[in-house]
């Protein structure tokens, strides 16, 4: 009889442990795949696991096919409990009924930087929590400027940028400006910077398409003019060329700082904010990483705690200290952290974030951005003028939206 009781008790104990393990395990898919990024994230996840006596199963995604894998996972019912989304992806997932609607009070939503909250909402419901935010700035090569007879200081206006790029571009594999050409999901981030700085936009405040505006046409024409004195390539190639000292001006992100340190630490370069245009400050593209919860998660409580933990400023600031390209915590109480702002380069990024914008919150933005990028490429390669290209693009976008 004792043996039977022991077997029953052992079986009950095994079942209880198995059930407990299952209830305390969640899946988190993310995009931090570089060794230093993974290590920084693992340190935070380890703290969370110890605090909640749980297990977080991590899966790395790439920006090239991560969205496709997430969509496939939702379609097959295998999506993770918690997922990371880029700021310009959130609306597509929020509008598809695959994300859990969240309670703003539970996540202390008021502590986040106001502009970071725009992608978080869809139809007045909260679906994603801001984690980290970042922007793009103007990198410039002081040595090339000095050789061109300039004082090595960056331009403060768009007209100065054009004049300096022209002065530097003397051939011999040296270029005045880095112009993104055909480069899916990257080119639009550059051209929006010029649209916004020139006073243009894609949508008006009431949601009307205003792509084919005089301001945007002027901005695209200016970008085309800059490209005459530059290298037209992908972001990856332009990052590499700047590190090699071949480009005077190039708009890029924080990852480039680490690349320079690793590959050409003696490069004489500087970082500044986007030049102004007439009475408009230079406006840059702001991006961010967001955390959302699967609408069909079986462990919402633990998933919510993970989102709260990672987006808490005291944790996200530690991540940003170790991962330069992560940018800054979206938690405004930690945005101006002394250690983050101790370097000149980080201060430039923080200053630019005060004049930066995110892409329009639209469920079909990824299709819209492709149309815009195609129009820019047509202009860069002299196939069509700026206004006609934007007019054609606006008609394509309107036709797309009319079908939805």
């Amino acid at each position: 009889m004792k043996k039977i009781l022991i077997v029953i008790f052992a079986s009950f104990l095994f079942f209880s442990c198995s059930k407990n393990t299952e209830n305390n395990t969640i899946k988190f898919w993310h995009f931090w795949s570089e060794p230093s990024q993974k290590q920084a994230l693992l340190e935070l996840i380890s703290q969370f696991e110890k605090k909640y006596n749980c297990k977080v199963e991590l899966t790395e995604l790439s920006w090239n096919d991560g969205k496709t894998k997430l969509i496939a996972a939702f379609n097959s019912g295998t999506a993770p409990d918690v997922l990371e989304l880029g700021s310009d992806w959130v609306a597509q997932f929020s509008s598809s009924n695959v994300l859990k609607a969240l309670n703003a009070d539970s996540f202390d939503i008021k502590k986040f930087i106001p502009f970071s909250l725009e992608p978080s909402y869809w139809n007045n419901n909260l679906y994603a929590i801001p984690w980290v935010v970042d922007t793009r700035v103007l990198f410039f090569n002081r040595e090339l400027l000095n050789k061109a007879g300039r004082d090595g200081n960056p331009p403060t206006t768009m007209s100065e940028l054009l004049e300096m790029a022209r002065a530097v571009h003397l051939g011999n594999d040296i270029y005045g400006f880095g112009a993104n050409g055909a480069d899916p999901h990257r080119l639009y981030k550059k051209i929006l910077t010029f649209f916004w700085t020139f006073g243009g936009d894609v949508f008006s405040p009431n949601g009307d398409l205003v792509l084919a505006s005089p301001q945007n046409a002027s901005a695209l024409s200016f970008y085309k003019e800059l490209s005459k004195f530059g290298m037209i390539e992908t972001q990856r190639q332009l990052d590499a060329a700047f590190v090699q000292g071949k480009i005077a001006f190039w708009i890029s992100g924080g990852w480039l700082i680490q690349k320079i340190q690793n590959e050409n630490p003696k490069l004489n370069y500087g970082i500044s904010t986007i030049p102004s245009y007439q009475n408009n400050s230079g406006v840059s593209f702001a991006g961010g990483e967001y955390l959302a919860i699967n609408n069909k998660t079986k462990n919402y409580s633990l998933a919510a705690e993970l989102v709260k933990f990672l987006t808490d400023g005291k944790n996200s600031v530690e991540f940003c200290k170790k991962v330069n390209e992560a940018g800054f915590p979206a938690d405004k109480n930690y945005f101006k952290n002394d250690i983050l702002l101790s370097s000149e380069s980080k201060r430039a990024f923080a200053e630019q974030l005060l004049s930066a914008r995110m892409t329009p919150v639209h469920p079909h933005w990824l299709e819209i951005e492709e149309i815009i990028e195609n129009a820019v490429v047509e202009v860069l390669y002299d196939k069509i003028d700026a206004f006609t290209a934007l007019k054609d693009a606006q008609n394509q976008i309107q036709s797309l939206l009319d079908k939805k």
Side-chain angles (χ1 to χ4, degrees), residues 270-286:
I271 296 174
S272 71
T273 54
I274 302 298
S276 65
Y277 178 74
Q278 296 180 353
N279 295 323
N280 300 324
S281 298
V283 183
S284 188
F285 169 86

Side-chain angles (χ1 to χ4, degrees), residues 275-318:
S276 65
Y277 178 74
Q278 296 180 353
N279 295 323
N280 300 324
S281 298
V283 183
S284 188
F285 169 86
E289 304 308 313
Y290 290 71
L291 298 181
I293 298 175
N294 186 345
N295 197 25
K296 295 184 178 180
T297 180
K298 295 180 179 179
N299 201 337
Y300 172 77
S301 295
L302 189 58
E305 291 302 328
L306 177 61
V307 173
K308 292 176 186 178
F309 180 85
L310 291 176
T311 59
D312 189 317
K314 68 177 182 292
N315 295 320
S316 56
V317 76
E318 293 304 316

Side-chain angles (χ1 to χ4, degrees), residues 115-248:
F115 81 77
S116 72
L117 291 173
E118 293 179 13
S120 298
Y121 288 88
W122 179 254
N123 284 345
N124 297 318
N125 289 318
L126 178 70
Y127 288 100
I129 306 299
W131 184 9
V132 293
V133 293
D134 203 8
T135 188
R136 309 292 188 266
V137 294
L138 183 68
F139 286 75
F140 62 96
N141 186 309
R142 286 195 175 95
E143 184 177 345
L144 292 181
L145 292 181
N146 288 331
K147 287 182 178 179
R150 300 302 185 270
D151 58 9
N153 291 321
T156 59
T157 66
M158 284 292 179
S159 59
E160 288 180 357
L161 172 62
L162 180 60
E163 189 274 329
M164 289 183 181
R166 182 186 291 111
V168 169
H169 187 65
L170 300 175
N172 301 320
D173 207 26
I174 299 299
Y175 302 88
F177 182 75
N180 251 132
D183 198 5
H185 199 57
R186 294 178 179 86
L187 171 55
Y188 85 90
K189 298 174 183 177
K190 300 303 190 305
I191 198 59
L192 282 182
T193 290
F194 288 88
F195 285 172
W196 291 331
T197 300
F198 277 63
D201 212 330
V202 179
F203 292 97
S204 69
N206 62 6
D208 294 330
L209 269 172
V210 290
L211 184 62
S213 68
Q215 294 89 342
N216 286 346
S218 294
L220 182 49
S221 296
F222 183 85
Y223 189 75
K224 162 65 178 174
E225 188 69 15
L226 269 175
S227 73
K228 294 179 181 178
F229 310 105
M231 173 190 288
I232 303 176
E233 258 296 353
T234 64
Q235 180 171 291
R236 182 182 295 274
Q237 292 299 322
L238 292 169
D239 276 344
F242 186 86
V243 173
Q244 294 163 7
K246 296 180 178 180
I247 297 177

